[in-house]
Amino acid sequence: MRVLVVDDRLDNRYLLVSLFKGHGFQVDEARHGDEALAKARNLPPDLVVSDLLMPVMDGYSLLRQWRADDQLKAIPFVVYTATYTQEKDRKLALELGADAFVVKPTDPDDFMAQMRHILGQAQAGTLKPPALSPDTEPSYKLYSEVLVRKLESTSIELQARIEELTQSQEHIQRLNRLYASLSETNQAIVHITDPDELFHRVCRIAVECGGFSLAWIGLLDKARGDIRLKASFGEGASWFAGEQPFYTNDALRLPVQFAVSDEQIFLCNDLANCSPLDAYRELLDKANFRSAASLPLRLKGELIGAITLFAAQKGFFDDALEALVKEIAGDLSYALDNFAKEQERRESEERLKASEAANRLNARALEASANGVMICDIETNKYPIRHVNPAFERITGYSGVEVLGRDPGFLLGKDLDQPGMVELRSAIKDRRETGVVLRNYQKDGSLFWNELTMAPVVDDTGTVTHFVGVINDITERKRYEAQLERQYNEDALTGLASRNLLRDRVNQAIAFAAHQHKKIALLFIDLDGFKRINDSLGHLVGDAILCAIAERVRATTSDMDTCAHLSADEFAVLLTDLVRPQRALAVANDLLLAINQPLTAAGRQFDMTASIGISLYPEDCRDYDSLIGNADTAMHHAKEAGRNTVRFYAASMNAEALHRLNLDSRLRRAIDQNELLLHYQPLVRVSTGRVTDAEALIRWRGSDGKFISPVDFIPLAEETGLIIPIGEWVLRTACAQTQAWTQEIGVVLRIAVNLSARQFRAKDLVKTVVQVLADTGLPASQLKLEITESALMEDAAKAASILLELKRLGVTVSIDDFGTGYSSLAYLRQFPIDQLKIDRAFVQDVTRHADSAVIAKSVVELASQLRLETVGEGVETQEQQAFLQSVGCDLIQGYLFSRPLPAEEFAALLRAQMQPIASV
Ligand code: C2E
Ligand code: CA
Ligand code: CA
């Protein structure tokens, strides 16, 4: 069905168009009657909905011409109006042949029902024009009334436009005058070099060109705490010349005082109603002052006075004029700054000349010095170099010509944040001598350590005029110190921290942790069976293995952690800032995994494992020696427990950690011993009643045959990182099984696999998915990944980019447990997702709480508008199913239809579903 919406206002059209489109209509739009006729003749609609008041051709004319057009006249015409709502309007519209007259706004559902009714009648050929009451006046009379009303409103509009135009003409004149005075002021600034003369000229320009009655400039006299007249021009200027000193005349002074004491612009467009000036009303009236402005003048940002302007018109300053006078005041301040700078430059030139003589005397000594020397001038915040000696050129690599006039700060390169700089800056500010060590950079960018002495130079009057800097290049000394430090801190073979550095770091960490009430953990790592390799294959091979392991240890931990090589096959890792000991366990498990990756050295493959002991501060001990001793003891327990495993130092092991650890090591084995399996729960498509999707849910049958719930072990696996291999196993198994079903049973099923937050963030996720799809042959369109809302929110920007990559692969993305988090659907919309799973808790409430039902309904509706599929999860009763069906949920999952099933049982269910189709 095609609808033509005619309305001159875009927002009105938008509402109607969305409403019709939402109900599956095709919609054309026109802005007035003329356009509507043209469009309809080109492509006749099934229905037209038109506004009445429109430019070019109004709705009445459109309606008349519509009914007169043989091609269009049978098409139903609905008038939809907000302006013409009187009974007469309705009569006229119906008289002219409208099929309905609807007044805006109207309830969308009622409106659509009415439209469908009219369309239905039109199709059936039973559309009758609505009945008119017998007393209807003739249509020409009604129409002329409408025209009169239209004319009336147009003439009011025109009247308003004319008034507007007159006002703006006056305003333009005023603006023009001020532009002229701005330009004159700038001319004056360029040409005049004496401030007093400039002040006078500016006042004169304001009056002669700018249309002000009086302009005057006053400067602050700090000693008297008062404002002194500097220049004035215009009416009433004679007041200033009177025998009374000007500053006793409050009427003139007040605006300035506002400007000066508040450091803000004073602006008054109606002096007659400015109560602080009440006492001077007579004076102001006599002078015919109606508006006033006073603008602060500044020198180097500091307030020094104000320029004040009086005008004879009330309401003189509008926004544009205010901006212009501000500009004039700003230009004036700028000119004052320049005067001051020029003055300073002249003075410093003179000073330099005076000191040149002295310089010449010292020059010889300077040239001969082995230390670099530079002499710097003192300007505001800058210290331009005036002289350097040959040693400076040698040390820095810059020639004198290159550096003269530059601030010596350039020697710091980009390395600005140095501890010595704080002291240096403060010494320069206080004009005192100082010595600091800085990292400086030569012309070619290479670093040199500069032991710098800066001393002020005083002239005859005792003022500091220059600074002398003596540069001592101590790079060699620093290098030697660094080498010593490295030998002390770094393990020569692996580059990891030495035992010494570890001790320092542990002591620091303990001091810090004690203060912050944080925990720290020390992991003691001992390679299993290393001695045998070293003895049988020699030190070279042994060293290569140690270096490779060191690299893995480093890569597995973060920059914040300290990794140390203690001796031959012993390593240690210090973890600071721990909130819970579980993180230590997670890192230890990661280390075991990393160490256990196949390793090649000297052309041979090795399968290394390690045993790790963990001790904790403050639980186990309070100093370095006992911390490392206890970690060592725990490591031996790990060895006894069969190697390739982790143990906490026993004293700190609370029951909870033990339980987790136990669970953790059992879970580790579960993977190898095939104790993990998948169950599959069908999802039924509401529209067809068929199983089109399934969710893979992990099951763990322990060695004792008992099932352990994923709710108990998935969070642990997530914490320890085991979720990564387990998750990959789930993905692979589920994809392979689904592909097998396609081939064996012929059912193209979409399989949903749950991703935990850590899996979702793992950097290899997309790569793993691509690999698994390639290995199993499952098309990407048959894989759906379920991610919880909270996993998305952890880092929204990153999540969005991962989702985009998955989307590009063609994989479906579903938001699991929707409704439990805090994000709104509108927010989720920014992510490229395909499906929402309404959380079980919600589904269970829909038949119990009216609120939940309303929320669930609106979620499904909004989701469908965003083109997201919806799944109702945990459906256990007929009532829940009926409700979800009624609100338009796409898929249903829950015990009502089926529990999660072992693969064979699920296959049987699929086959059963195939039966009726096969027999057709
Ligand atoms: P989930 O993703 O929300 O999975 C749905 C859970 O609801 C499943 O519990 C399922 O058995 C249960 N369920 C389905 N229909 C009904 C029903 O009508 N009534 C009730 N009361 N429950 C129903 P299960 O299998 O115990 O899984 C629990 C959670 O463990 C899952 O919640 C999911 O977060 C996690 N999980 C399961 N398998 C995996 C997996 O392979 N990887 C990851 N990362 N997490 C998984
Ligand atoms: Ca799920
Ligand atoms: Ca769920």
Side-chain angles (χ1 to χ4, degrees), residues 681 695 698-699 730 754 816-817 840 873-874 876 894-895 900:
Q681 189 175 27
E695 178 172 3
I698 195 165
R699 298 291 177 259
V730 171
N754 291 287
D816 208 351
D817 304 346
R840 191 163 68 219
E873 222 185 352
E876 292 181 352
Y895 293 171

